[in-house]
Amino acid sequence: MSSIIKISGLTFVYQGSKVPALDQINMDVKQGDFIGIIGPTGAGKTTLALCMNGVIPHFYPGDFYGSVWVDGKDTVENDCAVLAGSIGSVFQDPEAQMVAMVVEDELAFGLENLNLPRHEMERRITEALEITGISHLRYHSTSRLSGGQKQRVAIASAIALHPKILVLDEPTSELDPQGTEIVYDTLKNLNENHGITIIVIEQKIQYLAQYCSRLMVMDKGKIVIEGSCREVLARQDILKPLGINCPPVTQLAHMLKERGLYHGEYPLKVDEAYMVISKVLQDWGNFK
Ligand SMILES: Nc1ncnc2c1ncn2[C@@H]1O[C@H](COP(=O)(O)OP(=O)(O)OP(=O)(O)O)[C@@H](O)[C@H]1O
Ligand SMILES: [Mg+2]
């Protein structure tokens, strides 16, 4: 499959800093991927997201080496407005992203720069609200929405621009578990049914394990490990020292493996853990 983002030898040093925030990053994102990025504070996750949408190098001074290609566009040669047609961004604080008083106007705001005919704007707003499951909020005041609803409005605003990629930097950090799940289900729908490539930075590993196709772990400006969720979560030796605890279902399998009771794949979800336990109990029964 073709690469939709290709990053080669990316190093970025913020102006005034001696240490690179990103250090020789290579990354290849395929169209349709759902990638999770995790890592300790200061690892460079946000800086990497800002390099993807072009905010770096266009708005942050610093030393930029290597190349970032997004949907066939070099981010150094193309400004953020051009890149916004390919990559949408959603950040941590939904409040800070809101500019309008009413949901519909919030979506229209981003579209105004595209100089679309009125009926096309209308169509895109209706479509984006439908896809994110918030059509009923169209005429609601943005100030009265819950955190989860605000984040869905932010996602709807981003996808109204018809990007091929969505990069989200800790989109659920301000949300309760219910709001978090709604946001992840929305992302799953965008990915599976609308072909949008998703890159999400997240601290809560259980959501990454549940929803992502690939995981990337960052530390000190580098990607220390990447692969399928199962491959990455199997590397407790790398994750633990970085303070990343695996989801409880994966930890359970790890403990069973350490005791020689289980030898199969790591479960990522509760129903998979149920299968693991059933298998262990069955083997144990046979052994007795
Ligand atoms: N505007 C800035 N100017 C100078 N240094 C910065 C700036 N923003 C971030 N840094 C530094 O760059 C490094 C990477 O920061 P970044 O915010 O990308 O990490 P992060 O992985 O997103 O961390 P967190 O989990 O806390 O959000 C850190 O050492 C940070 O102090
Ligand atoms: Mg960050």
Side-chain angles (χ1 to χ4, degrees), residues 18-268:
K18 290 197 173 66
V19 192
L22 296 176
D23 188 3
Q24 284 294 322
I25 297 281
N26 296 302
M27 191 173 169
D28 196 355
V29 179
K30 306 284 185 219
Q31 200 157 353
D33 271 347
F34 192 141
I35 295 186
I37 302 180
I38 193 165
T41 185
K45 306 178 295 296
T46 297
T47 307
L48 183 59
L50 296 175
C51 286
M52 289 180 192
N53 63 18
V55 170
I56 293 176
H58 295 291
F59 291 101
Y60 280 94
D63 295 324
F64 182 102
Y65 307 94
S67 65
V68 179
W69 286 79
V70 174
D71 192 22
K73 299 173 192 121
D74 182 341
T75 59
V76 176
E77 302 294 331
N78 292 276
D79 63 29
C80 292
V82 172
L83 296 168
S86 296
I87 184 163
S89 316
V90 175
F91 289 94
Q92 201 163 2
D93 179 6
E95 207 78 58
Q97 299 171 68
M98 296 285 164
V99 287
M101 306 285 281
V102 176
V103 170
E104 181 185 54
D105 298 341
E106 182 66 31
L107 270 72
F109 180 80
L111 288 168
E112 260 148 26
N113 295 328
L114 300 184
N115 289 322
L116 298 170
R118 185 78 218 162
H119 69 272
E120 174 61 11
M121 249 173 96
E122 277 286 326
R123 199 189 65 74
R124 288 205 189 188
I125 291 172
T126 305
E127 176 196 65
L129 291 172
E130 260 173 35
I131 294 176
T132 47
I134 51 169
S135 300
H136 59 292
L137 299 177
R138 184 169 186 144
Y139 304 108
H140 280 223
S141 155
T142 52
S143 62
R144 301 185 67 169
L145 302 174
S146 71
Q149 288 172 331
K150 280 183 185 151
Q151 231 15 339
R152 278 197 288 169
V153 171
I155 294 171
S157 303
I159 65 165
L161 301 172
H162 285 183
K164 293 184 185 163
I165 311 154
L166 210 50
V167 60
L168 305 104
D169 189 2
E170 302 200 29
T172 67
S173 63
E174 316 263 310
L175 308 185
D176 60 16
Q178 197 191 2
T180 301
E181 216 142 284
I182 290 171
V183 166
Y184 272 97
D185 284 339
T186 307
L187 297 180
K188 183 180 156 86
N189 175 37
L190 290 174
N191 180 250
E192 288 181 357
N193 301 322
H194 301 275
I196 298 183
T197 304
I198 308 275
I199 300 164
V200 61
I201 296 167
E202 175 64 77
Q203 300 290 357
K204 290 169 272 189
I205 191 143
Q206 70 270 28
Y207 291 102
L208 297 183
Q210 211 175 320
Y211 288 91
C212 296
S213 52
R214 281 171 65 205
L215 270 186
M216 217 165 255
V217 181
M218 291 186 71
D219 184 36
K220 299 191 180 78
K222 291 182 185 292
I223 296 172
V224 288
I225 179 170
E226 68 167 302
S228 70
C229 292
R230 277 183 228 285
E231 282 165 354
V232 171
L233 292 176
R235 297 303 304 272
Q236 303 241 345
D237 55 324
I238 295 176
L239 301 180
K240 245 198 174 145
L242 297 176
I244 302 169
N245 288 318
C246 288
V249 288
T250 313
Q251 283 180 33
L252 172 75
H254 190 69
M255 286 161 80
L256 293 169
K257 273 180 189 246
E258 277 181 342
R259 287 159 181 75
L261 294 168
Y262 177 68
H263 309 284
E265 284 194 325
Y266 280 93
L268 301 175

